[in-house]
Amino acid sequence: METLIVVFGVLIGLQVNNWNQERIERNSEHVMLLRLQEEARSLLDMQKGELAAQRPRLEILKNAHPVMFSLAPSRPLTSDECWALVVSHWLPSPTEELSSLDELIASGRFDLISNRSVKEALRDYAVVKERSRGARAEAVSELFRLHSRHPDAVQLEVGHADDTDYFPSAANTDGEGMVWRYLCDISKIRGNKGFLSEYSDNIARLNSYLKRYEDRIIVLTELDAELTKELGTSHSRRKRETAP
């Protein structure tokens, strides 16, 4: 009889320990889900902001394409069109880190997340991010800086520090020193097969770069929706568990 009591006590103790461990895991999961939601929403806002800042370059250039490719009467490119052409090779690194997800993967605790839909959305973002990194690494390896390669078509002109339509140099922080602007010679661009070929390559890469933003935004939006649903459910469940 005493042996049975001891065994029963051990079993009860193990069960209580399991319950406590499960509660600790649920609490840890809830905290992680809250972090993921906060970071995902912040990242989503950043992605939308960066896309909004980069997309106008492409829209400005599209307006110049008929003139550049001799599909419309010749006219000088505007200063905005010329500047967008000069930086057509520029693909800055996007903000795409989701540190809580990286932490879960690095620590081997990805299975802490019990909701299948949330896990699938997290996996989707991890895949999209890696594809984005690979695509950008390939894109920036062979971009064409048109102002350096075709100085006759895109001319650098240095001006005075008080010229408001010039671009200040990085060293010009005290209001003095060199300022410059680029002048695009449309007569040297139209019919220039080498220039237009390299420009078209830059634009194709810029299009792909912007599309990657759209892909990340779609996946982050879905992740936020799944986290919102799960946190609403888990919040209700936690209230029931802690009710007297």
Side-chain angles (χ1 to χ4, degrees), residues 18-159:
N18 288 338
W19 286 338
N20 287 335
Q21 188 61 37
E22 288 175 7
R23 175 169 291 188
I24 291 172
E25 288 293 313
R26 285 198 300 270
N27 287 339
S28 297
E29 179 187 12
H30 186 75
V31 170
M32 179 56 71
L33 289 174
L34 288 172
R35 281 184 57 193
L36 282 166
Q37 184 182 57
E38 181 180 359
E39 290 179 10
R41 288 181 174 178
S42 177
L43 182 56
L44 181 57
D45 288 341
M46 289 183 184
Q47 291 283 292
K48 290 179 178 178
E50 290 178 9
L51 177 59
Q54 298 299 331
R55 180 174 277 157
R57 287 193 289 148
L58 188 60
E59 299 304 318
I60 290 170
L61 288 168
K62 285 180 179 178
N63 292 330
H65 285 172
V67 178
M68 294 172 59
F69 288 91
S70 302
L71 301 175
S74 182
R75 66 163 175 80
L77 297 186
T78 67
S79 58
D80 285 343
E81 288 168 344
C82 185
W83 180 249
L85 184 151
V86 168
V87 296
S88 62
H89 67 279
W90 184 48
L91 305 180
S93 298
T95 305
E96 56 185 359
E97 296 301 328
L98 197 57
S99 59
S100 292
L101 174 57
D102 294 339
E103 179 183 319
L104 283 172
I105 294 173
S107 64
R109 301 190 68 209
F110 188 74
D111 285 337
L112 176 67
I113 308 300
S114 59
N115 184 288
R116 180 178 297 178
S117 296
V118 172
K119 291 176 77 170
E120 289 178 354
L122 288 169
R123 288 193 187 100
D124 287 344
Y125 183 72
V127 169
V128 166
K129 185 181 74 170
E130 287 307 308
R131 286 177 179 171
S132 174
R133 283 183 172 180
R136 183 179 178 277
E138 181 179 353
V140 299
S141 67
E142 201 173 349
L143 289 164
F144 298 105
R145 290 172 171 79
L146 298 173
H147 58 288
S148 298
R149 295 175 62 83
H150 302 275
D152 56 335
V154 184
Q155 301 161 12
L156 173 64
E157 185 176 274
V158 177

